[in-house]
Amino acid sequence: MNVPEPLRTARVLRTRGGLSVRVEPRAALVVPLLVAAALAVSVALIGTGDYPMSFADVVRTLMGGGTEAQEFIVHDLRLPRVLVGLLAGTALGLAGAVFQSVSRNPLGSPDVIGLGQGSTVGALTVIVLFHGDPTAVAAGAVTGGLLSGAAIYALAWRRGVHGYRFVLVGIAMSAVLVAVIGYLLTKANLTDAARATVWMVGSLNGRDWSQVRPLLAVCALLVPAVLGHGRNLRMLEMGDDSAHALGVPVERTRLVTMGAAVLLTAVATAAAGPISFVALAAPQLARRLTRSPGPNLTASASTGAALLVTADWASQRLFGADQLPVGALTGMLGGCYLLWLLHTERRAGRV
């Protein structure tokens, strides 16, 4: 498709204070459309269930005009689930964009390099060894994700963290963590093993405000911090030497953005379980939609949110009474996407 010239050329807006902002016209159009799509699917998702509600009823109830039963169903039962989906999708999409930008590799995704597996090990350790409650399991998932992220960064470090070495270390770490997961499952009793297996699938079922609040707080703190490093990440994609020459604090930028991405992934996994392939696919889809170079942070976050709530809606509507957990659906679709991505990279001579 031919793109009109006004949508191809980036524009620079300058303020009176001397600040300049680079604006991609196509991205400025795509991002609001993605946000609108995510919100529309969210309203449809709230209206889906054993007590179906029309789009207009959901909107009216959200605005405070519903019946007492509708208020209970929307605000207490379904809205927390949708908010967890939106926030977790945003966190995963943004984290995936950061890792792919830092590694300069489309396979540099949290669920490929072992961060999701690290969170799973942390959660299973709490379930199997300590029989912890859901709050303790969430804390274990966050701790496991942070520790695995720190280990991958340390092992991949050699005068900096670069490209394929980072991805290869992450894949090796993922294999080790998968073995640990298998070991923990063999040590669990039947009840704990069933509980661990349900958690490992990744699902938004039964989510309430206790999952929404910490996830919202982390996203409110870290999403703006990562977006504020967008220009530096764009410079890093040209290589460390070029970024240094342009005045970018390379290691500080890499450490801050990767630390934020690890924490976003860990908290999203703690809230929703290990949702596969959203972090891998969202940045690539965002890049193709915006046709813009660079990390496309805002577009990736919006795409992640839209993907996750759409997958959750599809898992409820397309499979009837045998509803799939959203993690199972994203895993199946993501596996096909990964095969396509590997084929594309192979044809381009990059793998």
Side-chain angles (χ1 to χ4, degrees):
M1 181 179 69
N2 293 326
V3 181
E5 191 63 32
L7 291 180
R8 288 183 182 177
T9 306
R11 299 174 182 176
V12 178
L13 303 180
R14 290 182 172 86
T15 66
R16 294 181 179 179
L19 297 176
S20 62
V21 179
R22 186 174 187 268
V23 178
E24 298 279 355
R26 186 182 178 95
L29 176 64
V30 168
V31 170
L33 291 177
L34 286 170
V35 172
L39 293 177
V41 174
S42 298
V43 172
L45 182 57
I46 292 174
T48 300
D50 294 334
Y51 183 88
M53 297 174 62
S54 68
F55 197 95
D57 286 340
V58 173
V59 173
R60 184 169 57 251
T61 303
L62 289 172
M63 300 298 291
T67 65
E68 185 175 347
Q70 289 173 335
E71 292 279 349
F72 173 74
I73 291 170
V74 170
H75 292 288
D76 293 340
L77 299 182
R78 296 179 183 174
L79 183 58
R81 173 189 184 128
V82 171
L83 290 177
V84 170
L86 287 171
L87 292 169
T90 298
L92 292 173
L94 188 60
V98 168
F99 281 114
Q100 291 180 19
S101 179
V102 169
S103 65
R104 300 195 292 275
N105 191 316
L107 296 178
S109 170
D111 40 13
V112 173
I113 63 174
L115 295 181
Q117 291 82 353
S119 293
T120 301
V121 167
L124 263 61
T125 300
V126 173
I127 292 174
V128 174
L129 300 184
F130 302 103
H131 313 289
D133 59 17
T135 301
V137 172
V142 172
T143 303
L146 293 176
L147 291 176
S148 62
I152 293 167
Y153 189 90
L155 291 172
W157 172 269
R158 192 177 66 184
R159 296 190 298 274
V161 177
H162 303 286
Y164 280 102
R165 183 168 72 247
F166 177 77
V167 174
L168 289 174
V169 169
I171 291 173
M173 179 64 71
S174 176
V176 172
L177 293 172
V178 168
V180 175
I181 292 170
Y183 171 76
L184 288 172
L185 288 175
T186 64
K187 300 295 290 183
N189 59 42
L190 185 60
T191 301
D192 287 338
R195 183 182 170 198
T197 302
V198 170
W199 188 90
M200 287 170 56
V201 174
S203 174
L204 299 178
N205 291 336
R207 296 303 181 261
D208 57 32
W209 291 103
S210 65
Q211 282 94 24
V212 174
R213 294 186 184 97
L215 183 54
L216 178 60
V218 171
C219 287
L221 178 65
L222 294 184
V223 169
V226 174
L227 295 179
H229 285 80
R231 178 185 177 276
N232 288 350
L233 284 174
R234 184 188 294 269
M235 298 300 105
L236 277 179
E237 290 189 353
M238 298 189 299
D240 287 5
D241 293 338
S242 298
H244 270 303
L246 293 169
V248 175
V250 172
E251 290 308 322
R252 187 178 70 186
T253 297
R254 186 179 286 129
L255 187 61
V256 169
T257 54
M258 289 182 65
V262 169
L263 186 54
L264 284 169
T265 302
V267 174
T269 304
I275 305 294
S276 303
F277 290 108
V278 171
L280 176 69
Q284 294 300 311
L285 292 175
R287 187 182 293 265
R288 285 163 173 77
L289 288 171
T290 62
R291 299 185 183 178
S292 300
N296 287 286
L297 298 178
T298 304
S300 297
S302 304
T303 303
L307 277 177
L308 190 48
V309 293
T310 301
D312 193 36
W313 176 86
S315 69
Q316 293 189 56
R317 294 298 298 268
L318 301 183
F319 297 94
D322 300 322
Q323 294 182 8
L324 281 180
V326 66
L329 182 59
T330 60
M332 289 188 292
L333 297 177
C336 297
Y337 171 80
L338 181 58
L339 290 174
W340 174 83
L341 181 61
L342 289 171
H343 176 69
T344 302
E345 292 293 298
R346 181 175 179 274
R347 291 188 62 183
R350 291 188 287 266
V351 294

